[in-house]
Amino acid sequence: QKEVEQNSGPLSVPEGAIASLNCTYSDRGSQSFFWYRQYSGKSPELIMFIYSNGDKEDGRFTAQLNKASQYVSLLIRDSQPSDSATYLCAVRGTSGTYKYIFGTGTRLKVLA
Amino acid sequence: DGGITQSPKYLFRKEGQNVTLSCEQNLNHDAMYWYRQDPGQGLRLIYYSQIVNDFQKGDIAEGYSVSREKKESFPLTVTSAQKNPTAFYLCASSSLAGNPYEQYFGPGTRLTVT
């Protein structure tokens, strides 16, 4: 079982719709959770982080964390063609470690 | 202008040659990391360092070496022992002061070995 799992996609949504990206993780002691956006040929850009159960909103983005079920999700409201990218989920492990485990990413395509 | 710089952006080398990739940060971050990304794959950790003059192997350290003589700098050497060195190399850094210890990335170096 992979430590951090994401559906590779592509996930296609029409412009203006809500895109929902999901990530599951295996280490129950994981502390912090991150979403990165990576455009083709570029480096990952941090867009959201969350470390408490529940929802965290920032503009059009909402991160959701459920530690009991070991999943974290990212919702993108009013999706735009410029949101088309690969979204990487990353997890910082058990307290005391400064290693981050990345999923392989979900490719999102927003159709104009 | 705060951030992480990596140089060069593109690097071409012949097989059998060692090559050093530069990474500098002015964010005053304690921890620095090197990852490798291959097409269609996630990020794999090569080495990381939490403090000057100390570093730990990641998941794929074989054929790579690092040094951390200054807080701001964490160069990566790709040696001739690395079997498949062609990849996109990403340097990252994070503060160790306060949750969630978010990690930021440099622009990357694309290495091609022929």
Side-chain angles (χ1 to χ4, degrees), chain A:
Chain A
Q1 181 194 5
K2 290 183 184 174
E3 293 180 78
V4 177
E5 292 207 56
Q6 297 181 256
N7 188 320
S8 62
L11 171 67
S12 295
V13 299
E15 185 175 356
I18 296 176
S20 178
L21 305 160
N22 300 311
C23 171
T24 59
Y25 59 94
S26 60
D27 181 356
R28 193 168 280 281
S30 296
Q31 300 288 304
S32 314
F33 308 85
F34 307 86
W35 284 100
Y36 290 85
R37 177 175 61 200
Q38 187 175 25
Y39 292 114
S40 181
K42 302 295 187 184
S43 65
E45 174 193 5
L46 180 66
I47 53 172
M48 289 286 289
F49 63 81
I50 188 167
Y51 54 89
S52 299
N53 271 330
D55 294 1
K56 179 183 177 184
E57 189 174 314
D58 185 0
R60 295 187 296 114
F61 299 100
T62 298
Q64 299 175 317
L65 174 62
N66 184 324
K67 288 188 177 181
S69 301
Q70 294 176 246
Y71 83 77
V72 56
S73 61
L74 179 70
L75 301 178
I76 306 175
R77 287 182 299 282
D78 188 24
S79 295
Q80 301 297 309
S82 59
D83 294 325
S84 298
T86 296
Y87 288 80
L88 302 174
C89 173
V91 175
R92 187 176 72 84
T94 308
S95 180
T97 178
Y98 301 103
K99 286 177 66 175
Y100 301 75
I101 309 298
F102 284 80
T104 52
T106 298
R107 193 154 68 97
L108 173 66
K109 293 172 109 173
V110 180
L111 308 171

Side-chain angles (χ1 to χ4, degrees), chain B residues 22-106:
Chain B
S22 166
C23 178
E24 304 274 333
Q25 54 97 1
N26 62 4
L27 301 169
N28 198 33
H29 283 172
D30 298 293
M32 297 186 73
Y33 306 78
W34 275 104
Y35 294 91
R36 168 184 173 140
Q37 187 175 39
D38 294 282
Q41 296 195 31
L43 303 180
R44 292 186 289 168
L45 181 64
I46 304 172
Y47 269 99
Y48 66 105
S49 167
Q50 297 171 27
I51 195 170
V52 172
N53 292 323
D54 189 39
F55 46 82
Q56 287 77 41
K57 291 183 179 180
D59 302 314
I60 55 163
E62 186 175 346
Y64 300 97
S65 66
V66 294
S67 63
R68 186 91 185 273
E69 296 176 3
K70 298 186 299 180
K71 187 176 183 178
E72 303 79 20
S73 178
F74 192 40
L76 173 74
T77 297
V78 184
T79 75
S80 56
Q82 168 50 230
K83 297 286 183 249
N84 297 295
T86 294
F88 188 36
Y89 289 87
L90 290 157
C91 178
S93 71
S94 68
S95 170
L96 298 183
N99 220 13
Y101 311 105
E102 59 263 42
Q103 187 175 77
Y104 296 94
F105 284 86

